[in-house]
Amino acid sequence: LANGEVILTDAINSQVGFLTVNPFTQSSESFVAEFSYRAFDGSGADGTSFNYGQLSDNYGYSTVEYGRTGTGLVVSLIEWSGQRVVAKFNGVTLFQVPFVVMSNNYRQVRIVVDGGGFLSVSIDGQPVNPPVDLGSSYRSANKAGWRFGFGSRTGGDRKSTRLNSSHLVISYAVFCLKK
């Protein structure tokens, strides 16, 4: 944390950064995650993932932009080889939508899983996808110990990745990251 920013990666080749929120006392079926995100100062590579599941700091080190869990929800903001947003549950792709994710300015990302288990993603108020049913596997999953977290990686190309004024709203609880 520096100057109110969580620095996931600097604009240096082959960087990996993580932010993990400790488990809450109760797991949540539905949540709203909102965060200010920017990827800048470089050519873009490789991306950043938002994760909710059994997270590991060692999972997929070389592909952390595609997620830090094989069991759980991952929403990836991919910059390399065509900017896009990709969502997966338990490793299965739910959608992949071309979308500009790089910007010198902070972008407001909102990820919602509603009470019915439907996933929606928007960036700066613009919907990325129509609501997608996560299915009975999500609704029936034992979420004890699931955590929220981010992972970001640069490769041969590079960019800086920052989170600012980050907060997660989970059911009725709020987690705010402040300096």
Side-chain angles (χ1 to χ4, degrees), residues 13-164:
N13 293 12
S14 302
Q15 298 291 297
V16 175
F18 299 101
L19 173 66
T20 304
V21 179
N22 286 329
F24 290 89
T25 55
Q26 279 190 303
S27 58
S28 181
E29 293 293 320
S30 60
F31 65 88
V32 175
E34 296 176 300
F35 53 94
S36 299
Y37 166 86
R38 79 177 167 149
F40 65 106
D41 285 350
S43 53
D46 283 308
T48 300
S49 63
F50 167 85
N51 304 265
Y52 179 51
Q54 295 286 345
L55 302 187
S56 169
D57 291 339
N58 298 318
Y59 184 86
Y61 177 84
S62 64
T63 57
V64 71
E65 69 274 20
Y66 291 103
R68 294 176 51 201
T69 181
T71 20
L73 176 65
V74 177
V75 176
S76 297
L77 308 172
I78 303 298
E79 301 142 18
W80 179 250
S81 193
Q83 295 182 56
R84 61 202 179 278
V85 178
V86 180
K88 295 180 182 180
F89 179 69
N90 287 348
V92 176
T93 300
L94 302 169
F95 65 81
Q96 179 170 290
V97 178
F99 206 96
V100 175
V101 296
M102 288 192 62
S103 175
N104 288 332
N105 299 316
Y106 277 98
R107 315 272 319 267
Q108 300 302 310
V109 179
R110 181 178 169 93
I111 300 168
V112 177
V113 174
D114 68 19
F118 284 81
L119 168 68
S120 303
V121 179
S122 64
I123 298 177
D124 287 339
Q126 182 180 351
V128 171
N129 66 297
V132 173
D133 188 354
L134 294 174
S136 60
S137 294
Y138 175 83
R139 289 185 288 280
S140 64
N142 179 358
K143 296 175 185 67
W146 279 29
R147 299 180 296 163
F148 290 91
F150 296 86
S152 190
R153 184 173 79 94
T154 66
D157 287 338
R158 61 194 181 279
K159 55 79 176 80
S160 293
T161 307
R162 306 282 194 265
L163 302 174
N164 190 12

